[in-house]
Amino acid sequence: MATQANLCFQGNGVDDELLTPHLRDQRRHHLHMSRQKKCFLGLETRQKLVWEDWDMGKEFTKTLVLKNVDSKSQKLHLSPPQSEFFTTVVPQIILLSPGTSYSLPITFRPLQRCEYEDSVEFHSKDGSFKVFLHAVIPCPVLEVPDSVLLPLCAVQHSSQTTFQLKNTGFLQTYFQWECPAPFQMSPEQGLLKPLQECDITVIFTPHQVLVHQQLACCMFGKEKEKTDRCCTVLLQGLAKYPCLQLRHSNTKNDQELSDPELQFGSVATGQSTQKYFYIFNPSPVTASFSLSCLSGGVPLLGSEFICDITSGKVAPGGSLKVHVTYTPAVANTVSVEYLSLKCSGALNKPVLKFTGNSLGPKVSLSSSLVDFGCVKEEGEVAQTVELVNSSSVEAVYQWDLDCRGHSVFSIHPAGGTVRPQSRLTLKVAYRPTQPIAHHRRVACFILYEEPLFLDLIGTHHSYLQQPAILKPEHLAVNKLHWHSREDLPDNLSTMQQEEGSLEELSNKGPESAPAVLSTPMEEYLQFCLGNLDPESSVSPHVSVVPSELFFNHKMSSSGFPASTLSQGVSVTNHTREKLSLVWTIAQDSSFSIAPASHDLAPLKSTSFRVTYDPKQLNTLHGAQLECFAYCQERPPLPPWCVTVRVIGHSFQLGKNYIPRCSLKPKQVVFPSLSVLSYRTVLLHNSDDLPLTFCLSPHRSSDPALAASVFVVPSCGLIQPGDHQILTLRTTSTEDCPKEGFSLHLQLNAAKHTQELTVVSVLEKCCVSLEGGGRLYFQPTHVGSQSQRTHHIRNLCSVPLRFQWNIPESGQELLSIEPDAGELTSNESSFQTWSFSPLEEKTYTLEPTLTFWPTQFPGYKSLLTLNVVGMGSKGFIEAERAVVDVGDTLVGSYRSFDVPLVNNSSCPISFSLSVQQNLLDDQLIHDPHTEPTLQLDFERGVIAAHSTMLLQSTFRPHKLALYQWTISYQTLNTSGGVLSPPQAVCEVRAKGVFPTLKVTDACGDGSARQLSKAYLWKLFSLDSLNKHLLSSPCPALSDRTQQRLRSRPTIGTKAMLDFDFGAAPLNSEPSTFVLMFHNPVCMAVDWTFVTPEDQQIELEDWAETGEFTNTELLQIKAQSNHLFTISPRSGTLLSGQQRAVHFSFRSEMILNLQGLTVERDQPCLHFPSKHHVFASVFIGDLYPPVQMCEVYNGGAVPVHYEVDSAVLSQLREENFNHPVLSCLNPEGEILPGRMAVLEFIFSPLEAKTYIMDVPVHIRDGNSPVVRFEGCGLDSPTVGSSNPLPGDAKPSLPCVQQVVFPGQVVFLSEDTVSLGDIPVCSQSSRVIFLTNMSCRDTYLYSWDLVEQMVQIHPDQGTVRPGESTHCVLTFSATNYPTVYQLDITCQFIQEAALALYHDALQYWEEETERRRDEFIITDVSKEKTPPPMCATKAERRAQRELAKVLTRPEPPQPGLLHLVVTARSYETLTYFTHFPDQFSKYHE
């Protein structure tokens, strides 16, 4: 048990108020101080004296002890307490030698109930110290733990722990607990004396699986009726569900019984066998359990299965072994029992099934007839017969024959056992005493089985009488007449006429006669009871009454017989023939009969006297007297034999002894049917003296019921160690109590009895139906099938057979498997019902169950089962109509789930299909390729109102945009299709390669004046993006090369030129930054491979030839590091952007080009030697002006002139039509500046024009630019787009990510005004944002173009703020395609201020130096100046040089704003854009 004991003090404070935490801590501090000692100035004493137990009007004295722990003597002066409540004796001087102590008594005299505080002060030469005096209010104080943790407990179980409740105060305190459920305190109330403690038990009984936390309040006080003070304890307990499992073994790896059945196999009736199982507790809590049989099926007088444990507890992780003993009581039956394992609070309720077969013996005779033939002289003839036990159990037998001289026949041994699967040889003897033919049909009792019969025949001839010899065939004739109830043949000739039939019957034996009695037991009882049997409809030929005689002879005190006892018996002849009666006389027997023989007329009776004459006192006697009745006139018919059982004793009064015997079994249960039934019991004499028994019906608990039971034999003598098999016959009745009634066997004619319990309760055949006779099917899809299991149970004590019958109208809807079977007593049988609706409706069916006893098919009963099922129709849909998987790397795979939802009321069996479609126009789906979308399953069943996750896998094979349509079809029970395919959802995914995309570009250094549009053309970024986003080559090129080459290697997909433009020699480097973006959903590794990275070292013998001029130029560029890339490699995550270049998997040659010119050499640079004009319609009266940007990359102005001869020749070739004309064919461009060449392209035909036009440069090289334009057919009236062939510009309009070092950026880099009419104005608002947190920037717009105005054109942007500017564009009066580059300069305000300060200082210092001079007297210098300056002079010279250097202005940053538009003549614009016209012309 775990108990937390964090103690705290709680109680009352001043004025009977509850102690606050502050007062509680203060009280604890006072107690601690009062008990702790401390050293002051070498003196050891307490810090405080505390009075707790006090009362008003009395004195309470405490002693303060001071001890000198120093090495020197101490002299102290005492200052007494200030208040009158504390007093002490004040000595003049307190002298303490080293190691000595001084005791100072202090008396406290309280006058009222409150707290008191004071102090005493001690003074010495070294200082002083105080000892505080404190009297606290005496009040009840209880000490309890802060919290108590209960052991882990199972639901509906209990656990407990204890803690101590302490009375730490000095008052007698009453307490009473107030504890909420599920906790309980014991004891709940009590009384604690001062400083007393007691154990409190906490009982935790949870009913829910929770973490239980409750505050238990302890109310206490000085009086029992006034407990107004409180302390609390936090009770904590965790409840868990218990769980118990049934297992075969105790190993940890053993699993719970999947088929909970314990089979005992075959066991001999009356014997016992034992098996065991384990109850295992896998839960973390102790679980209590109980074992009990299922209700409703308990057999009469208890179960044949007995468990040694019926209840108990199992620890967590532990197990308990339970032994089960099976003792069958009825032979050749199957026993079934269900044991329920009940555990309070557990969610599972395991049920264990016990099954066992009871085996009875199977005994047979080697021969059913023993023929002794003819015996001529008096003597004994013996033969043998075998008793065969073919079963695996021991057989107990007994012959119904007196073998002690009272019969002419004897069998030895007359009783005993036959071992399993063995034979026992019996000696059968014939000792005749009268010259007649003898025949007797002797019964052999078998315990728990039907009796066997042995026919014994023999004929005795004397010298005077020689009767006809009795043969076996005569027995067959006798049986034939017996069973047909005919009279004997009239004469012998009649028998001789039947001789032929006799021969045939003799060949067949006596068993061949037709049988009327159904069982051997009935035949035996008919022989024993004769006319006394009320159940028999056949009367015997000869009968004797009574068949049993009892002689209870009372002896005189002298010990000699006063007289003999005799009783009479009557023999009746029921035939129409005269019979001769002959009794078998035994020598030296205590029983005699007179007369020994007599002739009896037909249908007459005669009496005989049986005399009991014991020869010895105090003995028991018993015999079976034998009488043969034969017809002398009609031989050779076999005689009939009747017997009389007699018992008697010769005990003197009070001389009887207590018998020792056993009855097995002690209780018999008859079938609960209204039919004659039989049972056998064994009465064994375990004493060394004989034993007599007789039935005493008057001693029974119910004499009337006892009289209905026939017991054969009802009396007899059992020799020491022998046994008697008793046969009981009765018919079950409703009057019999369920607990049965008792039969008493009187032993030795005394008060000693043996009790036998008989249960013969008449019950109706009873079968229980699961669910109270109702079976409900869940809604089922029309055309499909649903199944349910349903069990029936046999609640009666006899085995039953059953048959289900479904009405013809419901046979197409309902089926059952199995529909018939057999149920032993208490057994359950499970059937599987299948429901297949044909339409959407509710069905109600009533199949019937017919059942009857297995042995009596005529007793049939009927039950009806109410079956309700509903046919329904359902559908499947997806949670999302479109499932977007996203990007997946080609060659890899991605798994995802598609939730399928069934919102209908019935389960749906379905099959899925997938149809693929490629959304890329250039790709064609190949149906022979492996499917790219794979489903984990294509068939299944989705439950009603549920969601099923369809796990799918996407495996792209190529770069493409995939689309699939997942469809389903409903299925029937056999898997056939019920409906056409119906779409569930659409799945989209994209197969991608690792790639990058350029999203932005900017220039710096010498290229800072270049606009984004210009850079886009310089680096062919549209082509670069196109190649980056395309599929890579199937195989990569071989990067190992023998020489540096400018041409692409074999297998390389593309080659692009990166033109760095032109720059003067020794000018500032041209820096270009490209912003790369990772558009795919995976990380991309990138790297740039330069020619030197691809170069390998070759052996000298492999080097041939000389380097070309191009290769030498490349080597020079690499050696001087003219081109640098930084960083050269890296990784970009999905969606990440960075100023880098990319190459991955596919190989692309980037040809880096740059032009370096002399400073005095003019250089005009075109972004591309191929310029494409916007398409123009033929016949356009006002073809637009189009622009071509050029850049002066040199250090001197460039004068250019477009070659007009080429344009004139083009005009002449086109019928003097100006196809291409330049509006500014010549001009001058300043260094580092850009200019725009204006052209008008006016096609004459609908074709593509290609024109190579030289541009002459004065004193420089003249480049040739190829111009290309496309002429289009004129559009029809009402066309919505005058330029259908023009593509939208690929230039990004908005800067997504700032470049490294960029602090100011525009909200838009490109302002596209679209299509506008001439002479119109358009306005846009743009924003300038300062990303710096501390620096202010100044900006100014460079407005070269007159058609663009920005307001304000300059201003200030504070840290972290934005400012807006309004751009106004005024179109000219002629149609034009505009692409204008407007620059905005920004500079740091602080840097500009520093520059102005430095410039002003430089100007002032320069002016001072210019106006200041020094006059030196040369004549006074006698020594020439030193040759070398000192360090101080050199430092001064350097400082002077710095001052004299003119400061450089800070370099401003540039922002480029591209403005694009296309203007149209007014009528043309109105024709093609009527909806937009009102925006410009109101």
Side-chain angles (χ1 to χ4, degrees):
M1 294 184 294
T3 304
Q4 293 185 359
N6 301 321
L7 303 181
C8 68
F9 292 91
Q10 297 186 9
N12 276 33
V14 183
D15 298 331
D16 295 337
E17 294 180 355
L18 298 179
L19 284 175
T20 62
H22 173 70
L23 294 176
R24 194 163 55 240
D25 296 340
Q26 186 177 8
R27 178 186 180 91
R28 188 177 301 162
H29 174 70
H30 290 330
L31 292 176
H32 176 72
M33 295 289 290
S34 66
R35 296 168 184 168
Q36 186 177 8
K37 292 183 179 181
K38 193 174 182 181
C39 287
F40 301 96
L41 306 176
L43 296 173
E44 183 183 73
T45 185
R46 294 183 179 182
Q47 301 182 51
K48 178 182 291 189
L49 286 181
V50 179
W51 281 261
E52 294 181 289
D53 186 14
W54 54 269
D55 201 359
M56 295 181 294
K58 297 180 181 181
E59 293 184 355
F60 303 90
T61 301
K62 286 183 176 288
T63 301
L64 179 64
V65 179
L66 289 88
K67 183 178 181 180
N68 186 4
V69 295
D70 202 354
S71 60
K72 61 181 180 179
S73 299
Q74 296 276 1
K75 287 184 179 181
L76 300 175
H77 295 276
L78 175 64
S79 296
Q82 300 295 326
S83 65
E84 59 182 0
F85 306 106
F86 295 95
T87 60
T88 184
V89 178
V90 182
Q92 294 182 354
I93 295 176
I94 300 175
L95 180 61
L96 290 174
S97 300
T100 61
S101 300
Y102 177 79
S103 298
L104 178 66
I106 302 175
T107 302
F108 170 54
R109 299 181 180 88
L111 297 180
Q112 58 182 356
R113 189 178 182 83
C114 64
E115 289 193 5
Y116 298 89
E117 290 185 354
D118 210 332
S119 64
V120 292
E121 188 173 3
F122 298 91
H123 303 272
S124 70
K125 65 178 182 178
D126 296 330
S128 62
F129 64 91
K130 288 183 179 181
V131 176
F132 296 95
L133 308 177
H134 189 197
V136 297
I137 299 175
C139 59
V141 180
L142 293 183
E143 182 180 285
V144 294
D146 290 337
S147 61
V148 175
L149 179 62
L150 276 297
L152 194 65
C153 184
V155 174
Q156 298 183 13
H157 289 62
S158 63
S159 64
Q160 64 182 27
T161 188
T162 59
F163 67 91
Q164 285 190 341
L165 176 65
K166 297 181 181 179
N167 182 5
T168 58
F170 298 94
L171 299 177
Q172 181 173 271
T173 304
Y174 292 92
F175 69 89
Q176 182 171 0
W177 286 99
E178 294 179 359
C179 183
F183 300 98
Q184 184 179 359
M185 296 290 195
S186 178
E188 293 185 353
Q189 58 184 2
L191 174 65
L192 288 178
K193 296 180 180 180
L195 303 180
Q196 187 184 3
E197 62 185 27
C198 72
D199 290 333
I200 303 296
T201 301
V202 186
I203 303 174
F204 177 41
T205 309
H207 293 278
Q208 292 181 339
V209 178
L210 292 174
V211 177
H212 296 270
Q213 290 187 346
Q214 297 288 347
L215 280 176
C217 180
C218 180
M219 305 299 297
F220 62 94
K222 293 185 296 183
E223 300 177 3
K224 186 175 182 180
E225 291 77 12
K226 190 177 180 181
T227 54
D228 52 356
R229 300 165 183 83
C230 175
C231 60
T232 58
V233 179
L234 179 62
L235 303 180
Q236 298 175 326
L238 177 60
K240 293 281 188 179
Y241 280 119
C243 179
L244 293 179
Q245 297 176 351
L246 299 175
R247 295 188 177 183
H248 280 304
S249 65
N250 196 24
T251 58
K252 293 183 178 180
N253 297 329
D254 191 23
Q255 300 295 325
E256 185 178 7
L257 293 179
S258 57
D259 187 12
E261 182 175 354
L262 195 61
Q263 297 181 352
F264 288 82
S266 299
V267 181
T269 305
Q271 302 297 319
S272 298
T273 187
Q274 195 175 76
K275 286 184 177 294
Y276 60 88
F277 63 92
Y278 287 91
I279 301 176
F280 178 70
N281 182 7
S283 64
V285 292
T286 300
S288 60
F289 68 92
S290 64
L291 293 171
S292 61
C293 297
L294 286 183
S295 60
V298 180
L300 297 172
L301 291 181
S303 173
E304 296 176 331
F305 302 92
I306 304 298
C307 295
D308 62 341
I309 298 175
T310 57
S311 62
K313 294 183 178 181
V314 185
S319 61
L320 187 64
K321 189 175 184 179
V322 181
H323 291 88
V324 185
T325 303
Y326 171 49
T327 307
V330 182
N332 300 320
T333 58
V334 178
S335 301
V336 177
E337 188 61 84
Y338 294 92
L339 191 68
S340 174
L341 177 62
K342 298 179 180 179
C343 177
S344 298
L347 299 179
N348 62 331
K349 294 181 179 179
V351 176
L352 183 60
K353 181 181 180 181
F354 298 148
T355 58
N357 299 326
S358 64
L359 290 181
K362 293 182 180 180
V363 182
S364 61
L365 291 169
S366 59
S367 175
S368 62
L369 173 68
V370 176
D371 183 8
F372 292 98
C374 180
V375 178
K376 297 183 179 181
E377 298 293 338
E378 290 186 5
E380 180 178 326
V381 180
Q383 292 189 25
T384 60
V385 67
E386 288 186 341
L387 200 59
V388 182
N389 183 7
S390 59
S391 69
S392 58
V393 300
E394 188 178 65
V396 180
Y397 74 94
Q398 183 183 10
W399 290 97
D400 186 23
L401 183 66
D402 190 337
C403 301
R404 292 184 301 275
H406 292 93
S407 175
V408 297
F409 300 103
S410 64
I411 302 176
H412 297 282
T417 59
V418 184
R419 298 171 63 97
Q421 305 293 339
S422 64
R423 294 170 175 262
L424 180 63
T425 302
L426 304 177
K427 178 183 177 182
V428 184
Y430 175 48
R431 184 187 294 272
T433 57
Q434 300 291 334
I436 60 174
H438 296 89
H439 167 250
R440 186 168 177 179
R441 187 171 177 82
V442 184
C444 180
F445 297 125
I446 307 296
L447 188 63
Y448 306 124
E449 277 295 323
E450 297 279 343
L452 302 175
F453 290 97
L454 179 64
D455 286 293
L456 304 177
I457 60 174
T459 307
H460 182 219
H461 285 184
S462 67
Y463 293 106
L464 300 179
Q465 296 181 5
Q466 295 180 356
I469 299 175
L470 188 62
K471 296 182 180 179
E473 54 265 24
H474 298 145
L475 299 182
V477 175
N478 189 43
K479 274 190 177 181
L480 179 63
H481 288 286
W482 166 269
H483 294 303
S484 62
R485 288 302 179 264
E486 297 178 356
D487 290 334
L488 296 176
D490 293 336
N491 49 41
L492 186 59
S493 61
T494 306
M495 293 185 64
Q496 291 176 350
Q497 293 176 4
E498 298 174 356
E499 194 68 29
S501 62
L502 291 177
E503 293 179 357
E504 295 177 1
L505 291 174
S506 64
N507 295 331
K508 298 180 181 180
E511 293 81 4
S512 61
V516 174
L517 301 177
S518 59
T519 63
M521 189 66 75
E522 293 178 356
E523 179 184 352
Y524 171 72
L525 289 178
Q526 174 65 34
F527 167 76
C528 293
L529 299 178
N531 287 337
L532 300 179
D533 187 5
E535 302 293 338
S536 177
S537 60
V538 180
S539 60
H541 294 90
V542 180
S543 63
V544 59
V545 177
S547 60
E548 295 173 342
L549 296 177
F550 307 96
F551 295 93
N552 296 321
H553 184 57
K554 294 183 180 180
M555 307 303 294
S556 63
S557 59
S558 63
F560 292 93
S563 62
T564 58
L565 298 179
S566 64
Q567 297 183 37
V569 295
S570 175
V571 179
T572 303
N573 180 7
H574 299 281
T575 67
R576 294 185 178 90
E577 301 293 337
K578 179 182 177 181
L579 299 178
S580 296
L581 305 178
V582 179
W583 290 90
T584 302
I585 305 301
Q587 301 297 327
D588 300 327
S589 174
S590 298
F591 299 96
S592 61
I593 188 167
S597 61
H598 190 270
D599 292 337
L600 185 59
L603 304 176
K604 298 296 182 178
S605 297
T606 185
S607 296
F608 296 89
R609 299 298 294 180
V610 179
T611 303
Y612 172 55
D613 186 13
K615 305 297 188 294
Q616 186 179 357
L617 295 177
N618 301 324
T619 57
L620 297 172
H621 302 89
Q624 185 184 51
L625 304 181
E626 179 182 68
C627 178
F628 291 95
Y630 62 93
C631 181
Q632 294 182 352
E633 300 178 356
R634 305 201 179 187
L637 290 178
W640 295 282
C641 181
V642 292
T643 60
V644 177
R645 290 182 183 274
V646 292
I647 61 172
H649 71 86
S650 60
F651 284 103
Q652 293 177 322
L653 187 63
K655 295 293 185 177
N656 206 336
Y657 63 89
I658 301 176
R660 290 187 300 165
C661 63
S662 62
L663 193 62
K664 180 182 178 183
K666 289 192 175 184
Q667 55 187 14
V668 291
V669 181
F670 286 88
S672 58
L673 299 174
S674 183
V675 294
L676 283 175
S677 304
Y678 306 90
R679 292 291 183 265
T680 58
V681 295
L682 181 68
L683 180 61
H684 183 262
N685 182 10
S686 56
D687 204 349
D688 53 359
L689 296 174
L691 169 71
T692 62
F693 68 92
C694 64
L695 183 65
S696 299
H698 62 279
R699 293 189 179 183
S700 174
S701 60
D702 193 335
L705 290 174
S708 66
V709 179
F710 289 90
V711 181
V712 180
S714 60
C715 65
L717 174 70
I718 306 175
Q719 296 296 328
D722 288 349
H723 58 256
Q724 176 67 51
I725 296 178
L726 306 178
T727 302
L728 287 77
R729 187 191 74 174
T730 189
T731 301
S732 298
T733 61
E734 296 179 353
D735 300 334
C736 180
K738 291 186 177 180
E739 62 274 8
F741 59 92
S742 61
L743 288 177
H744 290 266
L745 294 176
Q746 185 181 12
L747 305 178
N748 294 344
K751 61 181 180 180
H752 310 297
T753 61
Q754 189 71 252
E755 184 176 346
L756 175 66
T757 302
V758 178
V759 180
S760 58
V761 181
L762 178 61
E763 296 178 344
K764 294 182 179 179
C765 294
C766 183
V767 173
S768 68
L769 302 179
E770 181 187 1
R774 291 181 176 271
L775 179 62
Y776 294 94
F777 283 93
Q778 62 181 349
T780 307
H781 198 276
V782 174
S784 63
Q785 184 184 88
S786 62
Q787 293 183 338
R788 278 205 60 185
T789 57
H790 180 268
H791 75 265
I792 60 176
R793 187 180 179 191
N794 179 8
L795 299 182
C796 59
S797 58
V798 295
L800 300 176
R801 293 198 63 84
F802 67 91
Q803 174 71 52
W804 283 100
N805 298 301
I806 301 175
E808 184 177 357
S809 60
Q811 292 181 357
E812 293 184 357
L813 305 170
L814 203 62
S815 62
I816 181 175
E817 181 68 30
D819 61 348
E822 184 174 353
L823 291 173
T824 60
S825 175
N826 200 34
E827 186 180 12
S828 296
S829 175
F830 286 84
Q831 293 88 41
T832 301
W833 292 82
S834 301
F835 173 59
S836 305
L838 301 178
E839 55 183 318
E840 194 172 1
K841 61 178 286 189
T842 300
Y843 296 89
T844 301
L845 305 172
E846 293 184 348
T848 57
L849 174 66
T850 305
F851 55 94
W852 61 91
T854 303
Q855 298 178 350
F856 305 97
Y859 295 88
K860 292 188 177 182
S861 302
L862 194 68
L863 285 178
T864 300
L865 178 66
N866 191 359
V867 180
V868 178
M870 183 175 70
S872 179
K873 292 184 179 181
F875 58 90
I876 300 176
E877 58 185 0
E879 282 189 355
R880 300 188 303 272
V882 178
V883 179
D884 191 355
V885 181
D887 299 342
T888 303
L889 183 64
V890 174
S892 65
Y893 70 93
R894 172 176 291 187
S895 298
F896 60 97
D897 294 333
V898 178
L900 301 180
V901 181
N902 178 12
N903 289 321
S904 57
S905 60
C906 62
I908 299 177
S909 178
F910 63 89
S911 67
L912 299 175
S913 60
V914 179
Q915 182 179 2
Q916 178 174 298
N917 183 28
L918 296 179
L919 299 183
D920 296 339
D921 297 336
Q922 66 273 22
L923 298 177
I924 301 176
H925 173 59
D926 186 3
H928 300 290
T929 60
E930 183 181 356
T932 55
L933 182 63
Q934 299 174 352
L935 306 181
D936 281 10
F937 57 88
E938 295 183 354
R939 288 174 176 257
V941 178
I942 181 170
H945 301 291
S946 64
T947 300
M948 175 184 289
L949 294 180
L950 175 61
Q951 296 183 351
S952 310
T953 304
F954 171 44
R955 300 178 183 272
H957 304 307
K958 63 179 71 175
L959 180 66
L961 184 60
Y962 296 87
Q963 180 185 13
W964 302 273
T965 300
I966 300 179
S967 304
Y968 79 96
Q969 292 177 289
T970 55
L971 306 178
N972 57 17
T973 306
S974 59
V977 177
L978 293 176
S979 64
Q982 302 179 34
V984 175
C985 66
E986 180 182 296
V987 180
R988 295 179 181 178
K990 187 176 183 181
V992 297
F993 290 101
T995 185
L996 296 179
K997 179 182 180 181
V998 179
T999 58
D1000 210 344
C1002 71
D1004 199 4
S1006 298
R1008 60 198 303 268
Q1009 295 290 340
L1010 301 181
S1011 66
K1012 183 184 297 187
Y1014 195 85
L1015 294 178
W1016 216 260
K1017 296 178 181 178
L1018 277 178
F1019 286 91
S1020 307
L1021 295 183
D1022 285 335
S1023 299
L1024 176 62
N1025 285 336
K1026 178 181 178 181
H1027 290 299
L1028 286 175
L1029 296 177
S1030 62
S1031 299
C1033 297
L1036 300 182
S1037 62
D1038 186 7
R1039 296 179 181 175
T1040 60
Q1041 301 183 14
Q1042 297 179 0
R1043 293 284 184 90
L1044 296 174
R1045 292 178 290 182
S1046 61
R1047 297 181 61 83
T1049 56
I1050 299 175
T1052 303
K1053 185 173 182 179
M1055 179 174 178
L1056 299 175
D1057 291 338
F1058 269 25
D1059 192 346
F1060 284 77
L1065 189 63
N1066 298 325
S1067 63
E1068 186 179 2
S1070 297
T1071 302
F1072 300 90
V1073 181
L1074 301 182
M1075 187 64 67
F1076 279 81
H1077 168 66
N1078 179 8
V1080 296
C1081 62
M1082 66 196 71
V1084 173
D1085 297 329
W1086 54 268
T1087 184
F1088 276 95
V1089 181
T1090 61
E1092 59 184 358
D1093 296 329
Q1094 294 180 318
Q1095 187 178 8
I1096 61 173
E1097 296 292 338
L1098 297 180
E1099 298 293 338
D1100 294 338
W1101 60 269
E1103 292 285 353
T1104 59
E1106 299 293 338
F1107 287 107
T1108 63
N1109 293 334
T1110 303
E1111 291 175 342
L1112 290 175
L1113 185 60
Q1114 291 182 358
I1115 294 175
K1116 181 178 180 181
Q1118 295 176 20
S1119 301
N1120 295 330
H1121 299 286
L1122 299 183
F1123 297 100
T1124 59
I1125 301 175
S1126 177
R1128 295 276 296 273
S1129 62
T1131 301
L1132 274 181
L1133 301 178
S1134 176
Q1136 189 177 4
Q1137 299 190 27
R1138 191 178 181 184
V1140 292
H1141 297 268
F1142 164 78
S1143 176
F1144 185 81
R1145 293 194 64 176
S1146 63
E1147 189 170 274
M1148 185 180 301
I1149 299 299
L1150 300 179
N1151 191 14
L1152 306 183
Q1153 299 178 0
L1155 178 62
T1156 303
V1157 298
E1158 298 292 341
R1159 297 194 64 85
D1160 58 351
Q1161 181 181 357
C1163 176
L1164 185 64
H1165 189 272
F1166 285 84
S1168 176
K1169 298 300 178 62
H1170 185 197
H1171 182 80
V1172 179
F1173 291 115
S1175 300
V1176 180
F1177 291 111
I1178 59 177
D1180 192 350
L1181 299 179
Y1182 303 98
V1185 175
Q1186 303 194 46
M1187 301 178 181
C1188 176
E1189 290 183 319
V1190 293
Y1191 172 63
N1192 181 2
V1196 296
V1198 173
H1199 184 274
Y1200 70 90
E1201 182 179 356
V1202 178
D1203 193 343
S1204 57
V1206 176
L1207 300 179
S1208 299
Q1209 182 181 358
L1210 180 63
R1211 181 171 183 170
E1212 293 177 359
E1213 293 175 355
N1214 288 276
F1215 309 100
N1216 204 25
H1217 178 75
V1219 176
L1220 181 65
S1221 58
C1222 182
L1223 301 182
N1224 52 344
E1226 61 177 330
E1228 187 177 73
I1229 306 174
L1230 297 178
R1233 295 291 181 176
M1234 298 184 65
V1236 175
L1237 298 181
E1238 297 181 350
F1239 290 90
I1240 294 179
F1241 172 58
S1242 177
L1244 189 61
E1245 300 176 75
K1247 70 173 186 177
T1248 300
Y1249 293 84
I1250 298 177
M1251 302 146 283
D1252 294 331
V1253 179
V1255 179
H1256 301 288
I1257 306 299
R1258 185 180 299 173
D1259 299 332
N1261 296 326
S1262 299
V1264 177
V1265 181
R1266 171 165 291 184
F1267 293 96
E1268 180 179 333
C1270 182
L1272 302 177
D1273 290 328
S1274 299
T1276 59
V1277 178
S1279 176
S1280 60
N1281 187 5
L1283 293 175
D1286 288 346
K1288 294 183 179 180
S1290 60
L1291 202 64
C1293 296
V1294 179
Q1295 183 178 355
Q1296 301 291 340
V1297 180
V1298 297
F1299 289 100
Q1302 184 180 2
V1303 292
V1304 179
F1305 67 93
L1306 293 171
S1307 59
E1308 295 181 67
D1309 288 337
T1310 302
V1311 176
S1312 178
L1313 300 177
D1315 299 315
I1316 59 176
V1318 296
C1319 300
S1320 64
Q1321 282 191 350
S1322 301
S1323 297
R1324 295 291 187 272
V1325 178
I1326 55 178
F1327 292 88
L1328 275 168
T1329 301
N1330 180 7
M1331 295 183 59
S1332 176
C1333 299
R1334 56 182 180 180
D1335 296 328
T1336 301
Y1337 284 87
L1338 305 176
Y1339 70 90
S1340 64
W1341 290 95
D1342 187 6
L1343 300 176
V1344 179
E1345 304 293 340
Q1346 298 298 324
M1347 67 275 301
V1348 177
Q1349 297 294 328
I1350 297 179
H1351 180 78
D1353 58 353
Q1354 60 183 0
T1356 303
V1357 186
R1358 298 185 180 276
E1361 295 183 357
S1362 299
T1363 184
H1364 72 279
C1365 299
V1366 179
L1367 181 146
T1368 302
F1369 177 79
S1370 300
T1372 61
N1373 57 357
Y1374 190 83
T1376 307
V1377 178
Y1378 298 96
Q1379 186 170 353
L1380 308 177
D1381 180 34
I1382 304 172
T1383 59
C1384 177
Q1385 297 185 10
F1386 62 93
I1387 190 170
Q1388 187 178 356
E1389 186 180 39
L1392 187 61
L1394 290 176
Y1395 165 72
H1396 287 301
D1397 294 342
L1399 181 61
Q1400 182 180 359
Y1401 177 77
W1402 177 82
E1403 291 176 348
E1404 293 176 353
E1405 185 66 20
T1406 302
E1407 184 178 359
R1408 185 183 66 82
R1409 288 297 182 100
R1410 186 179 66 247
D1411 297 338
E1412 184 182 68
F1413 61 93
I1414 299 175
I1415 301 175
T1416 304
D1417 189 0
V1418 181
S1419 63
K1420 295 182 178 181
E1421 291 185 358
K1422 297 180 179 182
T1423 305
M1427 298 298 295
C1428 298
T1430 63
K1431 290 183 179 181
E1433 292 174 346
R1434 289 198 299 269
R1435 187 180 300 110
Q1437 292 176 1
R1438 285 197 300 269
E1439 292 296 331
L1440 181 61
K1442 289 182 181 179
V1443 174
L1444 294 179
T1445 302
R1446 182 183 179 91
E1448 295 291 337
Q1451 190 74 17
L1454 288 183
L1455 295 176
H1456 291 268
L1457 177 63
V1458 178
V1459 180
T1460 62
R1462 179 167 183 172
S1463 61
Y1464 297 90
E1465 192 270 337
T1466 303
L1467 183 59
T1468 303
Y1469 189 84
F1470 178 76
T1471 303
H1472 295 285
F1473 304 100
D1475 298 335
Q1476 303 291 332
F1477 188 78
S1478 60
K1479 293 171 52 178
Y1480 302 98
H1481 298 278
E1482 297 183 357

